[in-house]
C-alpha cells in the first residue's frame, strides 16, 4: 500500500467509526447504528449495515440508500451503486475480500443521490466509475447551487450496453430506455446469475416517479416486461428498495407485480380523466386498492405516482 492509499483508507475507517473491517463482519454488536431521515416522512429511523452474500462472490450491502451490489473474487472487485457518503464509507471499510486492493469498477444504475452520493468515497480507490450516458447530465441538473464541487460524476459512460470479463465472472449493463429515470441500467452478473435492477424494482413499496429525471410509467412497464423476457427466471433479482417484510431481493413475480401496479395506476387515472374528474380528485387516494403489500401510512408516494401518471397521460404529443 502506498502512502496515498493508506491515508485515504485511514480516513474512511475513521469516518465509519470502525477500527477494523473484521469487526463489522464478525461482531454485530459493534455495528454502528445511525439515526437518519426516512423519505416517507419526518420520523427518524436507525440503519444497521449488513453485508449479505448471495452466490458466487456476488452480494449486497444494506445501509442507507439504494441497495449496493458487490462482486468480490480473486480477479476483481466491483460495486453497483454507492448510497450516501456515510454508508459508502462503511461499505468500503468492510467490503469482503478487499484487503489493500483497488476496486476495479463502480457502476451507477442511475443518477439519484441515494445511489451516487457515495461516489466520492469510492473514487480515490477505484479505477473507473461507469454509468449510462444520460447520468452525468441528470446529476448536474439536480446538484444544488454551491455544491457542485461535492458531486463525483462517472468518468466512463455508454449509450446502450457495457460488458467486462472479470476472470470467472462476466458483468454486463444494459439501458433499455426511459423508465424510473432516463438513465436506468440493469446489471447482470452472468455466472453468478444475479441481476441488479437498481430502482427499476421497488419491491412491494410505492416507487419514486421522477418526472424531472425523465420518468416514463409506460416505459417502466415495458422495461420490466423486457427484463422478465431477457434475464433468467432462476436469477436472484436485486431491487433498489424494498418493503421490510419482503426485502430487496426477489424474482420475476415481484417484477411483474410492480408492472401490474404501474399498469393499474395508468388505468385508474385514465378512467378518472374519461369521467371528467379533476387532477386533484384523481390523485386523492391514501392507498391504492388491490395492492395491499404496497400500502403505507401517509405521507406516502402514491399521490406523486398518480400525479406523474396524470401528467404523462395528458401531455401534448409532438
Amino acid at each position: 500500500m502506498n502512502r496515498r492509499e493508506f491515508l485515504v483508507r485511514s480516513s474512511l475507517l475513521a469516518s465509519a467509526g470502525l477500527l477494523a473491517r473484521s469487526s463489522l463482519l464478525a461482531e454485530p454488536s459493534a455495528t454502528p447504528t445511525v439515526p437518519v431521515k426516512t423519505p416517507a416522512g419526518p420520523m427518524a429511523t436507525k440503519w444497521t449495515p449488513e453485508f449479505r452474500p448471495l452466490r458466487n462472490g456476488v452480494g449486497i450491502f444494506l445501509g442507507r440508500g439504494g441497495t449496493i451490489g458487490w462482486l468480490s473474487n480473486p480477479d476483481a472487485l466491483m460495486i453497483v451503486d454507492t448510497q450516501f457518503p456515510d454508508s459508502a464509507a462503511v461499505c468500503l471499510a468492510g467490503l469482503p475480500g478487499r484487503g489493500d486492493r483497488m476496486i476495479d469498477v463502480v457502476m451507477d444504475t442511475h443518477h439519484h443521490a441515494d445511489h451516487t452520493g457515495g461516489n466520492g468515497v469510492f473514487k480515490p480507490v477505484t479505477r473507473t466509475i461507469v454509468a449510462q450516458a444520460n447520468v452525468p447530465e441528470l446529476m448536474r441538473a439536480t446538484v444544488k447551487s454551491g455544491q457542485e464541487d461535492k458531486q463525483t460524476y462517472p468518468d466512463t459512460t455508454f449509450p446502450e450496453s457495457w460488458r467486462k470479463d472479470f476472470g470467472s465472472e462476466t458483468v454486463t449493463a444494459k439501458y433499455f430506455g426511459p423508465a424510473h429515470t432516463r438513465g436506468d441500467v440493469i446489471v447482470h452478473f452472468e455466472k453468478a446469475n444475479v441481476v441488479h435492477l437498481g430502482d427499476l424494482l421497488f419491491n412491494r413499496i410505492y416507487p419514486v416517479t421522477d418526472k424531472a429525471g425523465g420518468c416514463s410509467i409506460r416505459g417502466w412497464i415495458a422495461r420490466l416486461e423486457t427484463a422478465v423476457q431477457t434475464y433468467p427466471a432462476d436469477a436472484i433479482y436485486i431491487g433498489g428498495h424494498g418493503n421490510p417484510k419482503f426485502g430487496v431481493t426477489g424474482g420475476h413475480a415481484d417484477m411483474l407485480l410492480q408492472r401490474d401496479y404501474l399498469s393499474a395506476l395508468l388505468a385508474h387515472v385514465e378512467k378518472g380523466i374519461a369521467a371528467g374528474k379533476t387532477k386533484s380528485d384523481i390523485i386523492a387516494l391514501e392507498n391504492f386498492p388491490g395492492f395491499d403489500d404496497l400500502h403505507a401510512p401517509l405521507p406516502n408516494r402514491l399521490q406523486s405516482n398518480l400525479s406523474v401518471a396524470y401528467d404523462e397521460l395528458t401531455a401534448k404529443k409532438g
Side-chain angles (χ1 to χ4, degrees):
M1 180 191 300
N2 61 36
R3 177 174 174 80
R4 180 173 178 272
E5 290 176 341
F6 173 80
L7 292 174
V8 169
R9 182 159 180 74
S10 297
S11 66
L12 291 172
L13 286 169
S15 68
L18 299 172
L19 295 177
R21 291 191 305 276
S22 61
S23 65
L24 180 60
L25 296 174
E27 299 178 22
S29 61
T31 301
T33 334
V34 184
V36 296
K37 294 290 184 67
T38 64
M43 296 300 291
T45 188
K46 293 179 183 293
W47 61 273
T48 302
E50 178 187 353
F51 288 91
R52 185 186 302 170
L54 296 178
R55 59 187 175 205
N56 291 19
V58 175
I60 57 175
F61 172 78
L62 303 175
R64 186 169 80 92
T67 310
I68 291 178
W70 48 266
L71 165 68
S72 177
N73 68 22
D75 302 294
L77 293 172
M78 179 175 176
I79 292 289
V80 179
D81 286 340
T82 63
Q83 297 188 354
F84 294 106
D86 54 353
S87 55
V90 175
C91 180
L92 178 60
L95 183 63
R98 182 175 173 239
D100 298 327
R101 300 160 64 193
M102 291 286 285
I103 293 171
D104 294 279
V105 175
V106 165
M107 175 72 67
D108 293 332
T109 62
H110 62 292
H111 72 284
H112 287 156
D114 64 317
H115 295 257
T116 63
N119 281 5
V121 172
F122 284 97
K123 185 175 177 60
V125 292
T126 297
R127 291 188 170 91
T128 185
I129 300 177
V130 182
Q132 199 275 336
N134 294 325
V135 168
E137 173 195 345
L138 289 166
M139 290 175 70
R140 291 187 182 93
T142 58
V143 68
K144 295 180 180 179
S145 178
Q147 300 293 311
E148 292 85 357
D149 60 335
K150 297 181 180 179
Q151 187 82 274
T152 301
Y153 300 96
D155 51 62
T156 301
T157 62
F158 61 92
E160 293 181 356
S161 63
W162 176 93
R163 179 183 179 91
K164 187 76 173 178
D165 290 316
F166 292 119
S168 61
E169 183 58 86
T170 297
V171 186
T172 61
K174 292 186 178 181
Y175 173 67
F176 293 99
H180 166 64
T181 70
R182 58 183 179 87
D184 303 289
V185 296
I186 297 175
V187 181
H188 187 196
F189 299 92
E190 293 185 353
K191 305 296 174 57
N193 199 20
V194 176
V195 180
H196 198 310
L197 296 164
D199 277 1
L200 289 177
L201 177 62
F202 282 75
N203 196 22
R204 314 280 177 141
I205 58 174
Y206 293 124
V208 171
T209 43
D210 182 4
K211 180 181 176 182
C215 177
S216 166
I217 296 177
R218 292 189 188 95
W220 201 337
I221 292 166
R223 306 312 159 231
L224 289 168
E225 290 178 343
T226 297
V228 167
Q229 295 164 6
T230 302
Y231 299 102
D234 60 350
I236 298 173
Y237 290 86
I238 303 168
H241 306 270
N243 184 324
K245 181 179 177 181
F246 296 92
V248 297
T249 59
H252 282 180
D254 302 288
M255 298 156 66
L256 292 174
L257 185 140
Q258 179 160 317
R259 176 207 61 182
D260 292 346
Y261 163 71
L262 294 170
S263 299
L265 198 74
L266 289 178
H268 171 83
V269 173
E270 201 163 30
K271 182 178 178 181
I273 293 170
K277 293 183 179 181
T278 65
K279 180 178 181 179
S280 59
D281 286 338
I282 291 172
I283 70 173
L285 281 178
E286 291 190 8
N287 276 293
F288 201 82
F291 294 88
D292 292 354
D293 289 342
L294 280 66
H295 287 190
L298 294 174
N300 59 43
R301 300 190 187 103
L302 176 58
Q303 292 192 354
S304 174
N305 292 177
L306 290 163
S307 178
V308 172
Y310 181 93
D311 292 346
E312 185 170 324
L313 288 168
T314 57
K316 292 181 179 179
K317 297 180 180 180

